[in-house]
Amino acid sequence: MAMITEELRAKAEVYHGDEICQEKSKFLLQEVGLPRGLLPLKDIIEVGYVEETGFVWLKQKKKIEHCFEKIGKLVTYAPEITAYVEKCKIKKLTGVKTKELLIWVSLVELSVEDPPTGKLTGKISSGLYRTFPTSAFELEEDLKKMEEKPEVEEKEKEKEKAVVSSAKA
């Protein structure tokens, strides 16, 4: 795990308390093009982000396990998680493990192709990887918005057609 030094803290935006940390962690995931439900943490104590390097850390009260129901994947999140984030990618990830067959393996990288509807790929240190639909990691509220969006766009197109038709008449 990367050491969170005082020097690093001095360069970072640091937030304390579960409510603001939940908000900031989801916002950061969204900003870099990753699903907002990727880090379903509880009782977050601290979130830090160094914008110039992309280094992020999250601290929660205790280790948690989460099952991503849509893909049947069990994942554990350590009390401290660190990573470097960039557009559509999390690198040098620490503190996150997933269960493969009967063993727990540490994830070291997560990336998304074609956000927001593409595939999320998780890699382990040996280079092996698995790919899943990003929708399996989205928050329910985000999935509903994505489902509603095509309907809204279609209604807007119908209104435009009606305006054009009435203008021609």
Side-chain angles (χ1 to χ4, degrees), residues 1-147:
M1 262 188 211
M3 290 292 296
I4 302 165
T5 62
E6 288 306 314
E7 182 182 334
L8 196 58
R9 283 178 176 282
K11 297 177 185 176
E13 294 175 35
V14 182
Y15 301 93
H16 299 276
D18 187 57
E19 190 174 331
I20 188 78
C21 289
Q22 291 283 350
E23 185 181 309
K24 293 296 180 182
S25 64
K26 287 174 179 60
F27 178 76
L28 179 62
L29 287 169
Q30 181 178 341
E31 284 297 297
V32 297
L34 296 167
R36 291 184 340 132
L38 199 55
L39 297 171
L41 306 179
K42 293 182 172 54
D43 297 326
I44 305 174
I45 300 166
E46 182 178 278
V47 169
Y49 175 54
V50 181
E51 190 172 5
E52 69 183 61
T53 62
F55 182 70
V56 176
W57 72 88
L58 301 104
K59 292 183 180 182
Q60 57 183 350
K61 288 184 180 176
K62 61 182 181 179
K63 171 183 151 180
I64 65 159
E65 284 187 4
H66 177 80
C67 183
F68 289 98
E69 305 269 331
K70 292 180 181 174
I71 55 171
K73 277 286 159 205
L74 190 59
V75 179
T76 64
Y77 298 89
E80 185 174 295
I81 298 163
T82 64
Y84 287 87
V85 296
E86 59 187 52
K87 194 69 179 160
C88 299
K89 189 179 277 191
I90 295 176
K91 302 184 305 184
K92 298 182 182 179
L93 179 64
T94 67
V96 180
K97 293 182 179 185
T98 184
K99 196 165 193 178
E100 289 294 328
L101 298 174
L102 299 173
I103 59 169
W104 288 96
V105 292
S106 295
L107 290 171
V108 296
E109 186 176 298
L110 298 167
S111 60
V112 171
E113 292 178 31
D114 273 342
T117 58
K119 302 280 186 192
L120 181 126
T121 300
K123 291 183 183 178
I124 62 173
S125 59
S126 68
L128 294 175
Y129 65 92
R130 300 258 334 246
T131 302
F132 301 98
T134 54
S135 60
F137 304 94
E138 289 289 358
L139 298 174
E140 286 300 316
E141 64 207 50
D142 293 345
L143 287 173
K144 287 177 185 171
K145 285 179 190 174
M146 284 194 284
E147 288 170 4

